[in-house]
Structures are given as structure tokens and as C-alpha cells.
Amino acid sequence: MIPTESALQQVLEWGRSLTGFADEHAVEAVRGGQYILQCIQPSLHDISARTGRDPQDEKLIVAFYCELALLFWLDDCNDLGLIAPEQLAAVEQALGQGVPCAVPGFEGCAVLRASLAALAYDRRDYTELLNDTRCYCAALRAGHAQAAGAERWSYAEYLHNSIDSIAYANVFCCLSLLWGLDMATLRARPAFRQVLRLISTIGRLQNDLHGCAKDRAAGEADNAAILLLQRYPAMPVEDFLNDELVGHARMLHRVMVKERFPAPWGPLIEAMAVIRAKYYQTSISRYGNDAAGGGQRAPA
């Protein structure tokens, strides 16, 4: 696999054309991207005879890392106000439609989308990636607006929206686009769509449980645990959400055993089920639990 430092420098070079892009966005993207690719390397090698896509292809790997970095950056644009609202709206339009950004300072958006369009093994994956990006941006925007408003969502409404804001669909779709994982065909299967929702729910609940203390200290309300505590102050929220996690994990396991999706979806789903814990252990500045640390609701 491409050396870490080389990959990091290439992602940073691409990110310099995005206003507000920070070293952290590239670092976390490479860290998480490497973990995912290492987990599915054997499967990617097995299917390379069919796809002709080399798991070690530097161009493909860097494109994947850039997409992950983009997701981290977009998350912070919403949470930390890295760019003005009108700039963010233009960025979302560009990324969701695959067109150049209408305002200066975001040339990297068009560069990445053009690169992924050209690299797509299956053009349907590129179309789906644009749609997934629109869903991700809309969920981030809706969650931020709801948390700042007077009316609080129910737990069900919060979870429905926040599943999209975890961005796992973008991660999977980008992998499929680059290495020919046939996600566009699999999306037609109800069981596969169920798996996407379940693994995204697991990621969201893991994230909210881990970040609850920090979010409360920062006055952040876009968190399942905080929302439930606001509505039901005496509720054992942590126990409830941990039970939810266990239940969703059991449901996910049953579907995966029954359906037996083609490689590399088994090891990929397994990797995503534990990737949050990997980030919590290695990305202290972003995912640390001390109240003075940075935000921790980024994707992947």
C-alpha cells in the first residue's frame, strides 16, 4: 500500500484548494482509509481478476482518501462554521451535482468529482455517490438546524436523519466506484439496504455515546443521548443506547449470515462496525473525551 506520508501529502495538496481545510482532515482520512483498505485487501485481490482494478493502485487509493477527507471537512463546515453559509450552500450544490463550485476558494470540489467520474468502474456508482452526498449534506444541515431550534425531534426522527449524517453510504459507494464492488446492483436488494441502515445506525449510536460528555460541555444538542436526557431527565440513557447498539448488531449479524453478500462486503461491514473504536483509540485530538477537545461527529 502507498506509504502513509506520501498519501498524506497528496491529500493535503488536494485539500489546499478548499477554504478551511485543515491537516486534521487529511490525517484522519488517511488513518481511517488505511484501516478499511487493509481489512478488505484479500477480497480486493480476489476480485481484481474480474475488475482489473489493482488494490495497490496509488491513484485509486488517494482518490478514496480524498473523499474521506472531504467528508470530515464538510462535517466541520457545518459544526464549526469553517466557511460562510452561502459558501457552504454553493459547495453542497457543486458536490451533489458534480459541477464546479459557483464561488471561489473551493476548486478541489470539482477536481475530486471529475476524478471520481473518470475513475468509476461502474458509472452508476458515480450517480449514486452524488445522491449520497446530497443526502449527507442535507442530514448535516437538518441536524444542525434542529439542534439550534426550539422544537426538539423525537428519538426516532433524530435517528432517521442522523443515519445519513454518518456518511457510511458515501464511504461504501466510493469504494465500489473505485474497485468495482457492484454496490449499484446490490442496492436493489432490500436486505442490502437494510444492512446499510443498520451499520449506519450502529456508527451513529457509537459516536453519540462516546461524544456525549464533550457535546454536553460544549452545549451541543445534536446527539441522541443528550436529546433523550432533555426529554427524560431520569432516564438511564447510556444503558438504553447500549442496549440499542447490541440489538442493532444482532440484527445486522442475522442479515449478513442469511444473505452472504459477495466479497468484500463481509469484511467491509465488519470493519465499519469497529472503526469508531479505532478512531477513539488513535485520534485523540478529534475524538478524545475531554471537554476541551475538538469535535467528534465526523464520518468514517
Side-chain angles (χ1 to χ4, degrees):
M1 192 174 292
I2 177 175
T4 300
E5 189 58 34
S6 175
L8 182 59
Q9 289 306 312
Q10 292 184 64
V11 177
L12 286 169
E13 180 65 28
W14 163 77
R16 289 194 184 98
S17 65
L18 298 177
T19 301
F21 190 87
D23 288 0
E24 176 188 289
H25 301 134
V27 170
E28 301 301 354
V30 172
R31 190 196 311 276
Q34 284 181 331
Y35 175 73
I36 293 170
L37 291 178
Q38 287 167 358
C39 288
I40 64 174
Q41 277 291 304
S43 297
L44 291 182
H45 280 290
D46 290 344
I47 66 174
S48 63
R50 171 180 63 82
T51 64
R53 295 295 174 98
D54 182 359
Q56 303 294 333
D57 189 316
E58 182 172 321
K59 183 181 293 185
L60 302 181
I61 292 171
V62 171
F64 178 53
Y65 293 166
C66 285
E67 179 69 15
L68 296 185
L70 176 77
L71 297 172
F72 281 108
W73 174 73
L74 281 171
D75 188 57
D76 283 350
C77 284
N78 276 271
D79 286 352
L80 306 180
L82 299 181
I83 59 179
E86 61 273 16
Q87 292 176 315
L88 181 56
V91 165
E92 292 176 351
Q93 174 73 13
L95 291 171
Q97 300 298 329
V99 297
C101 189
V103 298
F106 304 97
E107 291 75 14
C109 296
V111 169
L112 181 57
R113 284 294 173 263
S115 174
L116 292 174
L119 292 171
Y121 180 82
D122 185 332
R123 183 71 186 187
R124 294 178 298 168
D125 279 329
Y126 180 69
T127 300
E128 291 288 358
L129 182 67
L130 297 181
N131 181 62
D132 290 337
T133 302
R134 292 193 295 270
C135 291
Y136 173 59
C137 291
L140 288 176
R141 189 166 56 250
H144 191 267
Q146 181 277 331
E151 183 179 358
R152 293 289 182 257
W153 278 341
S154 67
Y155 171 71
E157 289 171 313
Y158 168 82
L159 202 57
H160 177 77
N161 180 75
S162 295
I163 286 172
D164 287 332
S165 74
I166 205 71
Y168 284 6
N170 275 72
V171 176
F172 295 144
C173 191
C174 189
L175 286 168
S176 182
L177 179 154
L178 294 169
W179 281 282
L181 308 188
D182 204 24
M183 185 173 176
T185 299
L186 289 173
R187 285 181 193 256
R189 294 171 58 175
F192 185 78
R193 296 196 299 273
Q194 183 183 12
V195 164
L196 289 182
R197 301 302 285 181
L198 287 169
I199 191 62
S200 296
T201 302
I202 288 168
R204 171 49 56 201
L205 293 177
Q206 289 173 333
N207 187 92
D208 285 5
L209 274 166
H210 180 80
C212 181
K214 184 184 291 184
D215 283 349
R216 292 186 74 181
E220 172 62 64
D222 193 16
N223 179 303
I226 294 172
L227 182 148
L228 287 169
L229 283 170
Q230 288 175 338
R231 286 181 172 272
Y232 313 105
M235 181 179 182
V237 168
E238 185 172 336
D239 290 343
F240 171 77
L241 292 179
N242 276 310
D243 283 346
E244 290 278 280
L245 263 177
V246 171
H248 281 94
R250 282 198 300 260
M251 289 189 289
L252 176 64
H253 176 72
R254 286 195 290 266
V255 177
M256 294 298 293
V257 169
K258 179 181 179 182
E259 296 295 327
R260 298 192 179 277
F261 296 107
W265 290 101
L268 177 54
I269 295 299
E270 291 174 4
M272 296 306 290
V274 299
I275 195 169
R276 283 287 171 186
K278 298 292 183 182
Y279 271 118
Y280 301 149
Q281 294 165 7
T282 60
S283 305
I284 304 304
S285 64
R286 189 175 187 90
Y287 291 95
N289 250 333
D290 60 292
Q296 77 288 336
R297 287 197 319 283

